[in-house]
Amino acid sequence: MSHIALVTLVVHDYDEALAFYRDALGFEVAEDTDRGDGTRWVVVRPRGAAPGTGLLLARAKDGTQSRAVGAQTGGRVGFFLHTEDFAADHARMTAAGVRFLEEPRHETYGSVAVFEDLYGNRWDLLQPAA
């Protein structure tokens, strides 16, 4: 095994999730394929990420899945988005309406701030220390 290829993120709606990840976070759409049964295969990833790595945005199919949207990690930070320019990405994301839950912190391991995606899943924006 060489790497984890995809992680599924359950969403309420493909298009609203795409708008957030593409427009607010700056991700690229790696794939958006209609599966012919009302579902789509939607993969997004940070620009410049290795091919074959990304988030599979999967629309909730039932009540159990719908209740998991935004709570997939029980309120913990579950996703870690690395950056090479923390200040620029933080400013760009803030301007795009991304909700940060704290002011940027500068820790021994790097610069970090927690933000929420459009459903409330928590992410770290992190520039690891050199």
Side-chain angles (χ1 to χ4, degrees), residues 44-92:
V44 296
R45 64 178 176 232
R47 293 195 186 283
T53 301
L55 286 176
L56 173 64
L57 303 178
R59 189 183 65 207
K61 291 184 179 183
D62 58 31
T64 299
Q65 290 179 12
S66 289
R67 287 187 295 278
V69 172
Q72 294 175 140
T73 60
R76 292 186 59 111
V77 171
F79 306 95
F80 301 82
L81 183 58
H82 282 198
T83 178
E84 294 176 1
D85 189 342
F86 181 89
D89 284 331
H90 183 269
R92 180 187 54 75

mmCIF file of all heavy atoms in Angstrom, residues 44-92:
data_model
loop_
_atom_site.group_PDB
_atom_site.id
_atom_site.type_symbol
_atom_site.label_atom_id
_atom_site.label_comp_id
_atom_site.label_asym_id
_atom_site.label_seq_id
_atom_site.Cartn_x
_atom_site.Cartn_y
_atom_site.Cartn_z
ATOM 1 N N VAL A 44 -12.614 16.371 -5.026
ATOM 2 C CA VAL A 44 -11.904 17.645 -4.975
ATOM 3 C C VAL A 44 -10.587 17.429 -4.248
ATOM 4 O O VAL A 44 -10.441 16.493 -3.469
ATOM 5 C CB VAL A 44 -12.730 18.743 -4.273
ATOM 6 C CG1 VAL A 44 -13.993 19.063 -5.063
ATOM 7 C CG2 VAL A 44 -13.065 18.378 -2.841
ATOM 8 N N ARG A 45 -9.637 18.322 -4.525
ATOM 9 C CA ARG A 45 -8.340 18.240 -3.847
ATOM 10 C C ARG A 45 -7.676 19.608 -3.894
ATOM 11 O O ARG A 45 -7.965 20.420 -4.782
ATOM 12 C CB ARG A 45 -7.451 17.192 -4.493
ATOM 13 C CG ARG A 45 -7.067 17.501 -5.919
ATOM 14 C CD ARG A 45 -6.133 16.447 -6.494
ATOM 15 N NE ARG A 45 -5.864 16.730 -7.887
ATOM 16 C CZ ARG A 45 -5.999 15.864 -8.869
ATOM 17 N NH1 ARG A 45 -6.389 14.636 -8.617
ATOM 18 N NH2 ARG A 45 -5.727 16.212 -10.095
ATOM 19 N N PRO A 46 -6.791 19.866 -2.940
ATOM 20 C CA PRO A 46 -6.065 21.132 -2.995
ATOM 21 C C PRO A 46 -5.279 21.231 -4.296
ATOM 22 O O PRO A 46 -4.777 20.216 -4.810
ATOM 23 C CB PRO A 46 -5.110 21.043 -1.800
ATOM 24 C CG PRO A 46 -5.750 20.069 -0.876
ATOM 25 C CD PRO A 46 -6.433 19.074 -1.770
ATOM 26 N N ARG A 47 -5.189 22.431 -4.837
ATOM 27 C CA ARG A 47 -4.404 22.624 -6.059
ATOM 28 C C ARG A 47 -2.979 22.168 -5.813
ATOM 29 O O ARG A 47 -2.382 22.489 -4.788
ATOM 30 C CB ARG A 47 -4.411 24.087 -6.475
ATOM 31 C CG ARG A 47 -5.795 24.532 -6.896
ATOM 32 C CD ARG A 47 -5.788 25.835 -7.657
ATOM 33 N NE ARG A 47 -7.157 26.252 -7.894
ATOM 34 C CZ ARG A 47 -7.958 25.737 -8.825
ATOM 35 N NH1 ARG A 47 -7.519 24.800 -9.620
ATOM 36 N NH2 ARG A 47 -9.199 26.170 -8.968
ATOM 37 N N GLY A 48 -2.451 21.383 -6.734
ATOM 38 C CA GLY A 48 -1.090 20.887 -6.617
ATOM 39 C C GLY A 48 -0.964 19.585 -5.843
ATOM 40 O O GLY A 48 0.129 19.045 -5.728
ATOM 41 N N ALA A 49 -2.078 19.081 -5.302
ATOM 42 C CA ALA A 49 -2.023 17.800 -4.582
ATOM 43 C C ALA A 49 -1.730 16.681 -5.571
ATOM 44 O O ALA A 49 -2.039 16.780 -6.768
ATOM 45 C CB ALA A 49 -3.340 17.526 -3.864
ATOM 46 N N ALA A 50 -1.148 15.618 -5.074
ATOM 47 C CA ALA A 50 -0.814 14.481 -5.919
ATOM 48 C C ALA A 50 -2.074 13.901 -6.553
ATOM 49 O O ALA A 50 -3.104 13.759 -5.881
ATOM 50 C CB ALA A 50 -0.111 13.409 -5.096
ATOM 51 N N PRO A 51 -2.019 13.568 -7.830
ATOM 52 C CA PRO A 51 -3.160 12.895 -8.461
ATOM 53 C C PRO A 51 -3.506 11.623 -7.679
ATOM 54 O O PRO A 51 -2.624 10.948 -7.158
ATOM 55 C CB PRO A 51 -2.651 12.555 -9.859
ATOM 56 C CG PRO A 51 -1.572 13.566 -10.116
ATOM 57 C CD PRO A 51 -0.925 13.796 -8.768
ATOM 58 N N GLY A 52 -4.799 11.359 -7.581
ATOM 59 C CA GLY A 52 -5.228 10.174 -6.853
ATOM 60 C C GLY A 52 -5.443 10.421 -5.376
ATOM 61 O O GLY A 52 -5.784 9.516 -4.640
ATOM 62 N N THR A 53 -5.264 11.670 -4.946
ATOM 63 C CA THR A 53 -5.494 12.037 -3.550
ATOM 64 C C THR A 53 -6.605 13.070 -3.507
ATOM 65 O O THR A 53 -6.598 14.003 -4.295
ATOM 66 C CB THR A 53 -4.213 12.654 -2.940
ATOM 67 O OG1 THR A 53 -3.159 11.712 -3.037
ATOM 68 C CG2 THR A 53 -4.416 13.042 -1.493
ATOM 69 N N GLY A 54 -7.569 12.908 -2.605
ATOM 70 C CA GLY A 54 -8.608 13.919 -2.522
ATOM 71 C C GLY A 54 -9.736 13.556 -1.598
ATOM 72 O O GLY A 54 -9.691 12.548 -0.885
ATOM 73 N N LEU A 55 -10.756 14.402 -1.629
ATOM 74 C CA LEU A 55 -11.989 14.197 -0.883
ATOM 75 C C LEU A 55 -13.075 13.766 -1.850
ATOM 76 O O LEU A 55 -13.296 14.427 -2.872
ATOM 77 C CB LEU A 55 -12.457 15.498 -0.226
ATOM 78 C CG LEU A 55 -11.747 16.026 0.979
ATOM 79 C CD1 LEU A 55 -12.341 17.366 1.386
ATOM 80 C CD2 LEU A 55 -11.841 15.044 2.125
ATOM 81 N N LEU A 56 -13.754 12.693 -1.521
ATOM 82 C CA LEU A 56 -14.929 12.272 -2.269
ATOM 83 C C LEU A 56 -16.134 12.903 -1.593
ATOM 84 O O LEU A 56 -16.412 12.617 -0.421
ATOM 85 C CB LEU A 56 -15.056 10.748 -2.273
ATOM 86 C CG LEU A 56 -16.336 10.193 -2.895
ATOM 87 C CD1 LEU A 56 -16.401 10.528 -4.381
ATOM 88 C CD2 LEU A 56 -16.423 8.698 -2.661
ATOM 89 N N LEU A 57 -16.791 13.817 -2.291
ATOM 90 C CA LEU A 57 -17.985 14.461 -1.753
ATOM 91 C C LEU A 57 -19.180 13.579 -2.096
ATOM 92 O O LEU A 57 -19.557 13.455 -3.261
ATOM 93 C CB LEU A 57 -18.150 15.861 -2.346
ATOM 94 C CG LEU A 57 -16.960 16.805 -2.149
ATOM 95 C CD1 LEU A 57 -17.226 18.141 -2.836
ATOM 96 C CD2 LEU A 57 -16.645 16.992 -0.675
ATOM 97 N N ALA A 58 -19.746 12.953 -1.070
ATOM 98 C CA ALA A 58 -20.833 11.992 -1.265
ATOM 99 C C ALA A 58 -22.118 12.539 -0.661
ATOM 100 O O ALA A 58 -22.165 12.828 0.543
ATOM 101 C CB ALA A 58 -20.472 10.664 -0.621
ATOM 102 N N ARG A 59 -23.148 12.697 -1.484
ATOM 103 C CA ARG A 59 -24.421 13.212 -0.986
ATOM 104 C C ARG A 59 -25.087 12.177 -0.084
ATOM 105 O O ARG A 59 -25.155 10.994 -0.402
ATOM 106 C CB ARG A 59 -25.347 13.558 -2.149
ATOM 107 C CG ARG A 59 -26.608 14.297 -1.681
ATOM 108 C CD ARG A 59 -27.549 14.588 -2.798
ATOM 109 N NE ARG A 59 -28.035 13.297 -3.300
ATOM 110 C CZ ARG A 59 -28.444 13.094 -4.539
ATOM 111 N NH1 ARG A 59 -28.405 14.059 -5.416
ATOM 112 N NH2 ARG A 59 -28.885 11.918 -4.909
ATOM 113 N N ALA A 60 -25.579 12.652 1.055
ATOM 114 C CA ALA A 60 -26.270 11.779 2.000
ATOM 115 C C ALA A 60 -27.473 11.130 1.317
ATOM 116 O O ALA A 60 -28.227 11.795 0.605
ATOM 117 C CB ALA A 60 -26.707 12.577 3.220
ATOM 118 N N LYS A 61 -27.648 9.822 1.559
ATOM 119 C CA LYS A 61 -28.727 9.078 0.918
ATOM 120 C C LYS A 61 -29.921 8.808 1.824
ATOM 121 O O LYS A 61 -30.984 8.446 1.358
ATOM 122 C CB LYS A 61 -28.201 7.729 0.413
ATOM 123 C CG LYS A 61 -27.243 7.841 -0.733
ATOM 124 C CD LYS A 61 -26.851 6.464 -1.226
ATOM 125 C CE LYS A 61 -25.916 6.558 -2.401
ATOM 126 N NZ LYS A 61 -25.578 5.240 -2.947
ATOM 127 N N ASP A 62 -29.726 8.931 3.146
ATOM 128 C CA ASP A 62 -30.811 8.614 4.069
ATOM 129 C C ASP A 62 -30.654 9.446 5.338
ATOM 130 O O ASP A 62 -29.726 10.241 5.466
ATOM 131 C CB ASP A 62 -30.831 7.112 4.386
ATOM 132 C CG ASP A 62 -29.532 6.590 4.986
ATOM 133 O OD1 ASP A 62 -28.832 7.352 5.688
ATOM 134 O OD2 ASP A 62 -29.215 5.403 4.775
ATOM 135 N N GLY A 63 -31.571 9.248 6.266
ATOM 136 C CA GLY A 63 -31.562 10.028 7.501
ATOM 137 C C GLY A 63 -30.310 9.835 8.329
ATOM 138 O O GLY A 63 -29.790 10.800 8.902
ATOM 139 N N THR A 64 -29.813 8.623 8.395
ATOM 140 C CA THR A 64 -28.599 8.359 9.174
ATOM 141 C C THR A 64 -27.425 9.142 8.601
ATOM 142 O O THR A 64 -26.673 9.796 9.339
ATOM 143 C CB THR A 64 -28.281 6.852 9.196
ATOM 144 O OG1 THR A 64 -29.383 6.171 9.811
ATOM 145 C CG2 THR A 64 -27.008 6.568 9.968
ATOM 146 N N GLN A 65 -27.267 9.098 7.289
ATOM 147 C CA GLN A 65 -26.176 9.837 6.657
ATOM 148 C C GLN A 65 -26.395 11.343 6.778
ATOM 149 O O GLN A 65 -25.438 12.092 7.022
ATOM 150 C CB GLN A 65 -26.026 9.420 5.195
ATOM 151 C CG GLN A 65 -25.498 8.011 5.038
ATOM 152 C CD GLN A 65 -25.373 7.576 3.588
ATOM 153 O OE1 GLN A 65 -25.474 8.381 2.671
ATOM 154 N NE2 GLN A 65 -25.140 6.289 3.384
ATOM 155 N N SER A 66 -27.610 11.807 6.637
ATOM 156 C CA SER A 66 -27.898 13.238 6.761
ATOM 157 C C SER A 66 -27.531 13.758 8.146
ATOM 158 O O SER A 66 -26.999 14.858 8.284
ATOM 159 C CB SER A 66 -29.370 13.527 6.482
ATOM 160 O OG SER A 66 -29.645 13.364 5.118
ATOM 161 N N ARG A 67 -27.819 12.957 9.172
ATOM 162 C CA ARG A 67 -27.477 13.383 10.537
ATOM 163 C C ARG A 67 -25.972 13.425 10.762
ATOM 164 O O ARG A 67 -25.500 14.134 11.652
ATOM 165 C CB ARG A 67 -28.151 12.463 11.551
ATOM 166 C CG ARG A 67 -29.662 12.704 11.663
ATOM 167 C CD ARG A 67 -30.295 11.905 12.780
ATOM 168 N NE ARG A 67 -30.232 10.474 12.578
ATOM 169 C CZ ARG A 67 -31.068 9.758 11.821
ATOM 170 N NH1 ARG A 67 -32.046 10.372 11.163
ATOM 171 N NH2 ARG A 67 -30.938 8.452 11.706
ATOM 172 N N ALA A 68 -25.197 12.706 9.969
ATOM 173 C CA ALA A 68 -23.735 12.693 10.119
ATOM 174 C C ALA A 68 -23.058 13.877 9.438
ATOM 175 O O ALA A 68 -21.905 14.187 9.739
ATOM 176 C CB ALA A 68 -23.164 11.392 9.555
ATOM 177 N N VAL A 69 -23.776 14.554 8.546
ATOM 178 C CA VAL A 69 -23.183 15.689 7.837
ATOM 179 C C VAL A 69 -22.782 16.752 8.859
ATOM 180 O O VAL A 69 -23.591 17.175 9.678
ATOM 181 C CB VAL A 69 -24.154 16.274 6.790
ATOM 182 C CG1 VAL A 69 -23.613 17.560 6.189
ATOM 183 C CG2 VAL A 69 -24.442 15.247 5.697
ATOM 184 N N GLY A 70 -21.525 17.145 8.830
ATOM 185 C CA GLY A 70 -21.013 18.157 9.736
ATOM 186 C C GLY A 70 -20.569 17.637 11.082
ATOM 187 O O GLY A 70 -19.988 18.376 11.871
ATOM 188 N N ALA A 71 -20.823 16.369 11.352
ATOM 189 C CA ALA A 71 -20.464 15.791 12.651
ATOM 190 C C ALA A 71 -19.693 14.495 12.475
ATOM 191 O O ALA A 71 -19.736 13.628 13.346
ATOM 192 C CB ALA A 71 -21.722 15.558 13.483
ATOM 193 N N GLN A 72 -19.015 14.377 11.376
ATOM 194 C CA GLN A 72 -18.366 13.108 11.049
ATOM 195 C C GLN A 72 -17.200 12.763 11.962
ATOM 196 O O GLN A 72 -16.784 11.622 12.034
ATOM 197 C CB GLN A 72 -17.949 13.104 9.576
ATOM 198 C CG GLN A 72 -19.179 13.128 8.697
ATOM 199 C CD GLN A 72 -18.878 13.245 7.225
ATOM 200 O OE1 GLN A 72 -19.514 12.602 6.428
ATOM 201 N NE2 GLN A 72 -17.926 14.055 6.848
ATOM 202 N N THR A 73 -16.681 13.760 12.686
ATOM 203 C CA THR A 73 -15.570 13.481 13.605
ATOM 204 C C THR A 73 -15.937 13.848 15.039
ATOM 205 O O THR A 73 -15.060 14.077 15.869
ATOM 206 C CB THR A 73 -14.296 14.222 13.169
ATOM 207 O OG1 THR A 73 -14.549 15.625 13.168
ATOM 208 C CG2 THR A 73 -13.832 13.780 11.796
ATOM 209 N N GLY A 74 -17.237 13.928 15.323
ATOM 210 C CA GLY A 74 -17.683 14.157 16.686
ATOM 211 C C GLY A 74 -17.276 15.502 17.266
ATOM 212 O O GLY A 74 -17.119 15.640 18.475
ATOM 213 N N GLY A 75 -17.096 16.507 16.429
ATOM 214 C CA GLY A 75 -16.735 17.839 16.905
ATOM 215 C C GLY A 75 -15.241 18.091 17.004
ATOM 216 O O GLY A 75 -14.823 19.195 17.326
ATOM 217 N N ARG A 76 -14.441 17.077 16.740
ATOM 218 C CA ARG A 76 -12.981 17.251 16.754
ATOM 219 C C ARG A 76 -12.509 17.767 15.400
ATOM 220 O O ARG A 76 -13.198 17.610 14.396
ATOM 221 C CB ARG A 76 -12.296 15.913 17.019
ATOM 222 C CG ARG A 76 -12.525 15.363 18.403
ATOM 223 C CD ARG A 76 -11.687 14.125 18.609
ATOM 224 N NE ARG A 76 -10.278 14.427 18.443
ATOM 225 C CZ ARG A 76 -9.388 14.428 19.419
ATOM 226 N NH1 ARG A 76 -9.743 14.130 20.638
ATOM 227 N NH2 ARG A 76 -8.138 14.720 19.187
ATOM 228 N N VAL A 77 -11.307 18.343 15.387
ATOM 229 C CA VAL A 77 -10.688 18.650 14.101
ATOM 230 C C VAL A 77 -10.418 17.306 13.429
ATOM 231 O O VAL A 77 -9.768 16.434 14.005
ATOM 232 C CB VAL A 77 -9.377 19.447 14.276
ATOM 233 C CG1 VAL A 77 -8.636 19.568 12.952
ATOM 234 C CG2 VAL A 77 -9.672 20.826 14.847
ATOM 235 N N GLY A 78 -10.957 17.143 12.243
ATOM 236 C CA GLY A 78 -10.814 15.869 11.551
ATOM 237 C C GLY A 78 -10.028 15.960 10.258
ATOM 238 O O GLY A 78 -9.700 14.942 9.658
ATOM 239 N N PHE A 79 -9.734 17.189 9.821
ATOM 240 C CA PHE A 79 -9.085 17.377 8.536
ATOM 241 C C PHE A 79 -7.985 18.426 8.700
ATOM 242 O O PHE A 79 -8.159 19.401 9.427
ATOM 243 C CB PHE A 79 -10.111 17.816 7.487
ATOM 244 C CG PHE A 79 -11.284 16.880 7.410
ATOM 245 C CD1 PHE A 79 -12.440 17.127 8.123
ATOM 246 C CD2 PHE A 79 -11.201 15.716 6.657
ATOM 247 C CE1 PHE A 79 -13.514 16.250 8.079
ATOM 248 C CE2 PHE A 79 -12.263 14.833 6.607
ATOM 249 C CZ PHE A 79 -13.419 15.095 7.321
ATOM 250 N N PHE A 80 -6.884 18.217 8.021
ATOM 251 C CA PHE A 80 -5.708 19.060 8.189
ATOM 252 C C PHE A 80 -5.241 19.519 6.815
ATOM 253 O O PHE A 80 -4.829 18.701 5.993
ATOM 254 C CB PHE A 80 -4.600 18.287 8.914
ATOM 255 C CG PHE A 80 -5.051 17.815 10.274
ATOM 256 C CD1 PHE A 80 -5.801 16.656 10.419
ATOM 257 C CD2 PHE A 80 -4.752 18.559 11.404
ATOM 258 C CE1 PHE A 80 -6.240 16.237 11.668
ATOM 259 C CE2 PHE A 80 -5.180 18.149 12.660
ATOM 260 C CZ PHE A 80 -5.930 16.987 12.787
ATOM 261 N N LEU A 81 -5.344 20.812 6.576
ATOM 262 C CA LEU A 81 -4.999 21.397 5.289
ATOM 263 C C LEU A 81 -3.679 22.129 5.439
ATOM 264 O O LEU A 81 -3.597 23.149 6.124
ATOM 265 C CB LEU A 81 -6.112 22.363 4.852
ATOM 266 C CG LEU A 81 -5.974 23.012 3.497
ATOM 267 C CD1 LEU A 81 -5.877 21.968 2.388
ATOM 268 C CD2 LEU A 81 -7.162 23.934 3.254
ATOM 269 N N HIS A 82 -2.626 21.577 4.843
ATOM 270 C CA HIS A 82 -1.299 22.187 4.927
ATOM 271 C C HIS A 82 -1.156 23.284 3.886
ATOM 272 O O HIS A 82 -1.708 23.194 2.793
ATOM 273 C CB HIS A 82 -0.209 21.130 4.710
ATOM 274 C CG HIS A 82 0.025 20.293 5.915
ATOM 275 N ND1 HIS A 82 1.163 19.555 6.091
ATOM 276 C CD2 HIS A 82 -0.724 20.068 7.026
ATOM 277 C CE1 HIS A 82 1.106 18.920 7.254
ATOM 278 N NE2 HIS A 82 -0.037 19.210 7.823
ATOM 279 N N THR A 83 -0.396 24.310 4.247
ATOM 280 C CA THR A 83 -0.125 25.436 3.370
ATOM 281 C C THR A 83 1.344 25.808 3.455
ATOM 282 O O THR A 83 1.996 25.535 4.472
ATOM 283 C CB THR A 83 -0.993 26.660 3.732
ATOM 284 O OG1 THR A 83 -0.648 27.748 2.882
ATOM 285 C CG2 THR A 83 -0.803 27.077 5.186
ATOM 286 N N GLU A 84 1.824 26.432 2.411
ATOM 287 C CA GLU A 84 3.195 26.953 2.414
ATOM 288 C C GLU A 84 3.215 28.445 2.697
ATOM 289 O O GLU A 84 4.280 29.023 2.883
ATOM 290 C CB GLU A 84 3.867 26.654 1.063
ATOM 291 C CG GLU A 84 4.064 25.168 0.841
ATOM 292 C CD GLU A 84 4.647 24.846 -0.527
ATOM 293 O OE1 GLU A 84 4.916 25.781 -1.315
ATOM 294 O OE2 GLU A 84 4.832 23.659 -0.802
ATOM 295 N N ASP A 85 2.023 29.090 2.719
ATOM 296 C CA ASP A 85 1.925 30.518 3.002
ATOM 297 C C ASP A 85 0.684 30.758 3.857
ATOM 298 O O ASP A 85 -0.387 31.121 3.360
ATOM 299 C CB ASP A 85 1.867 31.320 1.704
ATOM 300 C CG ASP A 85 1.988 32.818 1.926
ATOM 301 O OD1 ASP A 85 1.782 33.292 3.077
ATOM 302 O OD2 ASP A 85 2.277 33.525 0.948
ATOM 303 N N PHE A 86 0.840 30.529 5.146
ATOM 304 C CA PHE A 86 -0.282 30.606 6.083
ATOM 305 C C PHE A 86 -0.990 31.958 6.006
ATOM 306 O O PHE A 86 -2.216 32.017 5.884
ATOM 307 C CB PHE A 86 0.198 30.334 7.512
ATOM 308 C CG PHE A 86 -0.910 30.381 8.517
ATOM 309 C CD1 PHE A 86 -1.635 29.240 8.815
ATOM 310 C CD2 PHE A 86 -1.241 31.571 9.157
ATOM 311 C CE1 PHE A 86 -2.677 29.289 9.726
ATOM 312 C CE2 PHE A 86 -2.278 31.626 10.069
ATOM 313 C CZ PHE A 86 -2.998 30.479 10.356
ATOM 314 N N ALA A 87 -0.239 33.041 6.101
ATOM 315 C CA ALA A 87 -0.848 34.366 6.149
ATOM 316 C C ALA A 87 -1.676 34.644 4.899
ATOM 317 O O ALA A 87 -2.814 35.139 4.992
ATOM 318 C CB ALA A 87 0.225 35.436 6.336
ATOM 319 N N ALA A 88 -1.155 34.334 3.737
ATOM 320 C CA ALA A 88 -1.876 34.598 2.484
ATOM 321 C C ALA A 88 -3.123 33.728 2.379
ATOM 322 O O ALA A 88 -4.199 34.215 1.996
ATOM 323 C CB ALA A 88 -0.960 34.368 1.288
ATOM 324 N N ASP A 89 -3.003 32.442 2.702
ATOM 325 C CA ASP A 89 -4.166 31.560 2.600
ATOM 326 C C ASP A 89 -5.217 31.909 3.645
ATOM 327 O O ASP A 89 -6.418 31.884 3.362
ATOM 328 C CB ASP A 89 -3.749 30.096 2.695
ATOM 329 C CG ASP A 89 -3.110 29.612 1.409
ATOM 330 O OD1 ASP A 89 -3.448 30.136 0.330
ATOM 331 O OD2 ASP A 89 -2.265 28.702 1.478
ATOM 332 N N HIS A 90 -4.794 32.246 4.849
ATOM 333 C CA HIS A 90 -5.741 32.658 5.895
ATOM 334 C C HIS A 90 -6.499 33.897 5.445
ATOM 335 O O HIS A 90 -7.733 33.959 5.557
ATOM 336 C CB HIS A 90 -4.996 32.903 7.212
ATOM 337 C CG HIS A 90 -5.902 33.255 8.343
ATOM 338 N ND1 HIS A 90 -6.230 34.569 8.643
ATOM 339 C CD2 HIS A 90 -6.563 32.481 9.235
ATOM 340 C CE1 HIS A 90 -7.042 34.575 9.686
ATOM 341 N NE2 HIS A 90 -7.263 33.319 10.067
ATOM 342 N N ALA A 91 -5.803 34.884 4.904
ATOM 343 C CA ALA A 91 -6.444 36.116 4.435
ATOM 344 C C ALA A 91 -7.399 35.834 3.277
ATOM 345 O O ALA A 91 -8.528 36.359 3.250
ATOM 346 C CB ALA A 91 -5.386 37.141 4.022
ATOM 347 N N ARG A 92 -6.974 35.019 2.323
ATOM 348 C CA ARG A 92 -7.817 34.697 1.165
ATOM 349 C C ARG A 92 -9.076 33.965 1.601
ATOM 350 O O ARG A 92 -10.190 34.273 1.173
ATOM 351 C CB ARG A 92 -7.037 33.851 0.154
ATOM 352 C CG ARG A 92 -7.839 33.462 -1.090
ATOM 353 C CD ARG A 92 -7.078 32.492 -1.976
ATOM 354 N NE ARG A 92 -6.604 31.309 -1.291
ATOM 355 C CZ ARG A 92 -7.370 30.285 -0.912
ATOM 356 N NH1 ARG A 92 -8.668 30.308 -1.136
ATOM 357 N NH2 ARG A 92 -6.850 29.234 -0.306
#
